[in-house]
Amino acid sequence: MTPRRFDLGRAVAVAWIVVAVGVTVTIGPHLGWRGWMWLGVHHALCAIGAGHELWRKRVR
């Protein structure tokens, strides 16, 4: 069995998701409606980008 290589793209994608959730938990209670909308846009883009990266690495 060959050793698995460290995948920087996958690590960054997972770290980005963890940071996004952490930011939401930290600043979420202080946001108003407009802040939640911007945070929602950020999370949508984060989910698309990180999900694509994780899916692309899984296919290989």
Side-chain angles (χ1 to χ4, degrees), residues 8-20:
L8 181 62
R10 180 176 283 172
V12 170
V14 170
W16 195 271
I17 292 170
V18 169
V19 168

Side-chain angles (χ1 to χ4, degrees), residues 3-55:
R4 294 179 59 154
R5 291 183 354 170
F6 178 73
D7 189 359
L8 181 62
R10 180 176 283 172
V12 170
V14 170
W16 195 271
I17 292 170
V18 169
V19 168
V21 170
V23 167
T24 301
V25 169
T26 304
I27 68 170
H30 305 290
L31 294 177
W33 182 82
R34 192 170 35 187
W36 276 106
M37 293 302 292
W38 280 111
L39 195 60
V41 169
H42 172 265
H43 284 327
L45 294 174
C46 176
I48 291 168
H52 179 272
E53 185 67 24
L54 293 172
W55 177 78

